[in-house]
Amino acid sequence: MKYPSVFKQIQTKYAARELLRREIIGKANDAIGRSKRAIFALHREDAKGAQELLDGAQSLFVECERLFKRVPDLSEEGSYRAALEEYAEACLFSGYLKNGSLGAIEDRVMDPLVYLAGLADATGEIVRYTVRQVTLGKTKEVAHARETVEMVIEYMLSLDGTGYLRTKFDQAKGNLKRLEDISYDLS
């Protein structure tokens, strides 16, 4: 059967798009890995190593953004969005450790859905950090962590999130519960 010539044009465009998509997925997966390793480095108190990993993730995002110029809708690719969320989580956790607070981070992850998912996930890292501090005898960390996570919960509650963000919010509430349990045990 002979296909119309437009079919060949569509096939060529589709194949080129899929090639770029696979390249973006590869870079995004690498960025996720670097962001996760940056979080682990932060837990080991290796801020320099964490920053190097975050810089590497940032470079991968720049490469992806160059590819988006050829196929703009690939910026909504799920693996890329997941990489941004993990990166946002790492940046927020890093900021918490440096400044004792959560706030603005790099522009590329200030999209509300990305930021909020990263914020909710960062509460889990704050809990893990606090547990480690308690085991080292630094119990003063608990009150500050609890206040911070309570503030995140209160803020997210005001947004009345649904769907995916509701799931993230519920996870953050579970993190607050863990901090409350730690506070109770210490008292």
Side-chain angles (χ1 to χ4, degrees):
M1 172 179 277
K2 181 159 171 69
Y3 296 118
S5 61
V6 70
F7 283 19
K8 180 66 176 164
Q9 294 169 354
I10 295 297
Q11 181 182 18
T12 301
K13 286 180 181 179
Y14 179 77
R17 182 187 190 284
E18 283 303 297
L19 193 62
L20 285 176
R21 181 177 165 271
R22 280 188 231 117
E23 187 175 348
I24 288 166
I25 289 170
K27 291 179 188 311
N29 287 338
D30 192 10
I32 287 173
R34 288 173 191 246
S35 296
K36 284 183 183 296
R37 289 194 320 270
I39 290 169
F40 297 145
L42 290 166
H43 281 294
R44 291 189 316 272
E45 299 181 14
D46 178 11
K48 184 177 185 260
Q51 190 57 55
E52 288 171 5
L53 288 161
L54 290 174
D55 290 344
Q58 186 179 51
S59 295
L60 290 163
F61 291 133
V62 169
E63 291 175 32
C64 288
E65 289 158 4
R66 269 185 281 203
L67 297 173
F68 297 153
K69 290 178 182 168
R70 297 192 336 219
V71 184
D73 71 305
L74 288 177
S75 66
E76 296 301 316
E77 176 62 40
S79 58
Y80 176 73
R81 302 285 292 183
L84 289 175
E85 286 179 20
E86 192 69 31
Y87 181 75
E89 175 186 355
C91 290
L92 286 161
F93 182 52
S94 177
Y96 174 80
L97 295 179
K98 283 180 195 168
N99 310 317
S101 63
L102 300 167
I105 50 179
E106 183 186 337
D107 280 348
R108 88 171 23 91
V109 287
M110 290 301 290
D111 171 272
L113 294 176
V114 169
Y115 184 89
L116 291 170
L119 181 63
D121 288 345
T123 64
E125 299 308 330
I126 292 169
V127 171
R128 281 183 273 289
Y129 171 78
T130 304
V131 167
R132 182 165 188 266
Q133 295 307 302
V134 169
T135 62
L136 296 172
K138 301 176 184 175
T139 57
K140 291 180 183 175
E141 297 288 336
V142 176
H144 179 64
R146 184 175 169 182
E147 289 172 11
T148 301
V149 174
E150 282 176 344
M151 180 260 311
V152 170
I153 297 302
E154 186 177 313
Y155 169 69
M156 291 187 80
L157 186 60
S158 73
L159 299 175
D160 198 25
T162 59
Y164 180 64
L165 280 182
R166 178 58 194 223
T167 302
K168 292 290 187 181
F169 172 69
D170 290 343
Q171 291 168 354
K173 284 194 315 188
N175 292 328
L176 177 59
K177 173 80 170 91
R178 284 186 66 202
L179 285 171
E180 290 170 344
D181 289 347
I182 292 168
S183 295
Y184 175 79
D185 290 344
L186 289 173
S187 68

